[in-house]
């Protein structure tokens, strides 16, 4: 509630929905999602520039080996419903992560799911 409310205050509802899940809809609430950062580049924590850091590049190259996918990859906002978040990892298991990666890196596409729907108000 606090995180989403912060973004609504900063950006308004429409933009907040691009960068933050509404309360009750966040993958973080499943226990399967993590936001990662790097103490060497704190200015890029939770920012798109994390993907350009050494840590971000390592995550992109190796997440699947450990069973994770970058849940909101670049260029997939129309499918995932969220802007690119190179720091947001979702655990799906090693076999599934490899399958998602081989299918282009978008979980919905790999699973044959439709694009993320708008929230029902
Ligand atoms: Zn996250």
């Amino acid at each position: 509630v606090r995180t989403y409310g912060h973004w609504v205050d900063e950006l308004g509802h429409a933009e907040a929905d691009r960068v933050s899940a509404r309360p009750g809809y966040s993958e973080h609430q499943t226990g399967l999602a993590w936001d990662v950062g790097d103490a060497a580049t704190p200015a890029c924590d939770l920012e798109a520039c994390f993907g350009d850091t050494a840590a971000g590049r390592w995550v992109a190259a190796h997440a699947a080996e450990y069973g994770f996918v970058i849940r909101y990859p670049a260029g997939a906002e129309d499918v995932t419903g969220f802007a690119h978040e190179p720091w947001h990892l979702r655990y799906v298991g090693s076999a599934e992560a490899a399958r998602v990666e081989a299918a282009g890196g978008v979980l919905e596409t790999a699973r044959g799911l439709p694009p993320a729907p708008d929230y029902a108000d």
Side-chain angles (χ1 to χ4, degrees):
V1 169
R2 187 177 64 222
T3 299
Y4 184 74
H6 163 79
W7 289 115
V8 169
D9 290 345
E10 289 281 322
L11 306 169
H13 278 280
E15 283 299 305
D17 281 344
R18 292 184 62 235
V19 300
S20 183
R22 291 184 185 180
Y25 291 85
S26 172
E27 286 192 331
H28 288 286
Q29 293 175 274
T30 69
L32 297 172
W34 281 266
D35 291 333
V36 297
D38 184 359
T41 56
C44 286
D45 285 354
L46 305 178
E47 298 289 343
C49 61
F50 175 72
D52 298 322
T53 67
R57 288 191 300 273
W58 188 92
V59 166
H62 297 283
E65 296 170 29
Y66 297 91
F68 291 89
V69 296
I70 295 175
R71 184 64 182 89
Y72 307 119
E77 184 174 347
D78 59 332
V79 177
T80 66
F82 286 95
H84 181 212
E85 293 189 359
W87 64 87
H88 180 103
L89 303 179
R90 164 76 182 272
Y91 184 77
V92 295
S94 297
E96 178 71 350
R99 200 176 71 76
V100 171
E101 190 171 73
V106 181
L107 190 64
E108 286 86 346
T109 304
R111 291 183 174 174
L113 299 171
D118 291 337
Y119 293 101
D121 288 316

